Amino acid sequence: MKHILVVDDSPTIRKAIRRILEQLGHKVEEVGDGQEAIDRLEAGGRFDAILCDIDMPNVDGLAFLGALPNHPRISPPPIIMCTTHTSFDKISLALTLGASEYIMKPFDGDIIASKLDACGVT
């Protein structure tokens, strides 16, 4: 069982991802934006992976990735970005900022499992 943090402003999306991850046998925690994720990590939260939306109010996924180097106590696990963007611009930026993988919405359990596996989280 792996411990995974889900970062998304939509409670509905978080619930759907939680359901998929729990069916895959993982423990899940949820937060609503990038700042909450940073706070959780700064407080000592240890995760095997993070699934993070790109578009969120307050601190979005790209700002979250960009802020991580400013927090030396955080050693982030693999980060998989979730997006509805079909343009590669934001995806490319996310990968440049340190994301390990990305998932296009909508997705299913097979896609999430394959991305986790690609990141070494099995």
Side-chain angles (χ1 to χ4, degrees):
M1 176 186 334
K2 299 297 182 179
H3 191 191
I4 300 175
L5 179 63
V6 175
V7 186
D8 199 297
D9 60 306
S10 168
T12 304
I13 297 295
R14 288 195 313 263
K15 183 177 180 179
I17 295 172
R18 171 186 283 278
R19 186 176 308 122
I20 290 169
L21 290 170
E22 287 176 344
Q23 288 173 348
L24 293 170
H26 301 301
K27 179 180 175 186
V28 180
E29 288 188 43
E30 304 173 19
V31 294
D33 66 37
Q35 185 59 55
E36 290 178 22
I38 289 169
D39 293 345
R40 185 72 54 93
L41 293 165
E42 277 281 325
R46 299 284 177 236
F47 301 95
D48 297 295
I50 298 173
L51 270 69
C52 183
D53 187 22
I54 288 181
D55 292 315
M56 298 178 285
N58 193 16
V59 176
D60 68 17
L62 297 175
F64 165 68
L65 288 170
L68 289 174
N70 299 325
H71 298 272
R73 293 187 306 170
I74 296 175
S75 178
I79 300 171
I80 301 170
M81 302 305 289
C82 306
T83 185
T84 57
H85 291 281
T86 54
S87 161
F88 198 69
D89 293 347
K90 283 194 176 184
I91 295 166
S92 177
L93 179 55
L95 294 170
T96 299
L97 290 170
S100 304
E101 275 287 351
Y102 68 93
I103 296 174
M104 301 294 293
K105 294 179 184 177
F107 44 78
D108 59 20
D110 290 338
I111 293 170
I112 290 178
S114 71
K115 294 296 183 171
L116 288 170
D117 187 51
C119 292
V121 181
T122 53

